[in-house]
Amino acid sequence: MQRDNTDYGYDARKEYRVIFNGLLGQVLQNGRKEYYRRPPGVRAIVDTGKGLILQKEKREYLNMEWDYRLTGGKSFDSLIEWLDGYDAIINSDFLEQAIIRELEEEIGLLVNSDTAVRKYYHSQSSSSVEHDLYYFIVTEYEEGKAKLQHDEVIEKVELSYTQVYDLLLDGSFSEDRTRAVLFNFLLTEKKEYIFP
């Protein structure tokens, strides 16, 4: 069933009422308490066995300076699409398909194998903001061609584990949650490379 802008879908916080619907997110309110929610994001830790494949992207909020990022994006492109498909995010296959799509679009990596994508970490925002990020480790892929949008400036880069660690230390990643997840990944799964 397709919803219009007067039907707001599920309400995990039934005591809250919707006070604003944007293109992507919602603000809910209960008295003086406010709660914001938007679709979850997906991020790929592409592990080559010697390092990671990242992307450098020029970001408007950084005055078009380069930012190192994990490939990823939104799992849904609109609020209505998300509310219609909310139950789908419980299904990990849906999120895996979202990260496979983002890898092809942003850096041209083609992922076909069901065993090539493994859920690694689920990052929740806070009690008043729902913007979860799902991190996946990707180990099998083929090279393809990126399908960038007209305003995207993205370069694919392959770096050793120690180079990624150094970039995390010097603040080259603007997304703090990703920094924390990558530190955890490197210091647990790749510790022998970081501290030989």
Side-chain angles (χ1 to χ4, degrees):
M1 175 181 103
Q2 184 66 30
R3 291 184 170 87
D4 63 24
N5 62 4
T6 61
D7 181 9
Y8 304 114
Y10 94 103
D11 185 358
R13 296 181 174 221
K14 296 188 185 321
E15 71 277 12
Y16 284 70
R17 64 185 176 88
V18 175
I19 61 168
F20 174 78
N21 283 293
L23 296 174
L24 193 60
Q26 278 184 326
V27 177
L28 298 94
Q29 193 175 66
N30 177 4
R32 295 174 48 109
K33 297 178 186 174
E34 284 190 354
Y35 173 64
Y36 174 76
R37 65 183 177 192
R38 61 170 284 170
V42 290
R43 304 287 184 269
I45 301 171
V46 182
D47 189 353
T48 67
K50 297 178 182 176
L52 302 180
I53 295 177
L54 308 172
Q55 65 186 50
K56 280 180 14 180
E57 184 171 357
K58 291 210 173 187
R59 305 292 286 184
E60 189 174 323
Y61 71 91
L62 296 173
N63 298 319
M64 296 309 287
E65 294 295 323
W66 288 108
D67 182 27
Y68 285 89
R69 305 180 65 78
L70 292 178
T71 298
K74 302 180 294 292
S75 55
F76 293 94
D77 289 326
S78 73
L79 175 65
I80 290 174
E81 183 184 329
W82 176 47
L83 294 177
D84 278 341
Y86 183 77
D87 290 337
I89 70 168
I90 305 304
N91 177 348
S92 63
D93 290 346
F94 175 84
L95 294 170
E96 289 173 5
Q97 291 306 310
I99 197 58
I100 288 170
R101 184 178 61 248
E102 290 292 330
L103 284 164
E104 181 177 2
E105 289 174 3
E106 294 194 353
I107 59 173
L109 293 186
L110 306 174
V111 179
N112 296 316
S113 170
D114 292 337
T115 61
V117 178
R118 169 172 67 95
K119 184 176 176 186
Y120 178 68
Y121 191 79
H122 171 200
S123 170
Q124 296 174 305
S125 297
S126 70
S127 63
S128 61
V129 175
E130 179 183 337
H131 179 219
D132 294 358
L133 293 177
Y134 290 84
Y135 292 83
F136 294 89
I137 296 175
V138 177
T139 55
E140 298 174 33
Y141 51 85
E142 295 177 13
E143 295 289 337
K145 184 166 175 52
K147 300 173 182 176
L148 298 176
Q149 296 177 11
H150 72 282
D151 59 343
E152 290 181 311
V153 181
I154 296 174
E155 289 182 14
K156 180 175 68 173
V157 292
E158 187 173 336
L159 301 171
S160 70
Y161 300 121
T162 55
Q163 287 173 310
V164 174
Y165 184 76
D166 290 341
L167 287 174
L168 292 169
L169 289 175
D170 76 17
S172 293
F173 285 80
S174 68
E175 191 173 75
D176 287 339
R177 286 198 279 171
T178 292
R179 290 179 68 216
V181 170
L182 278 176
F183 270 127
N184 185 69
F185 173 77
L186 291 172
L187 294 176
T188 57
E189 300 210 14
K190 305 298 175 182
K191 186 176 181 179
E192 68 277 12
Y193 294 94
I194 306 301
F195 302 110

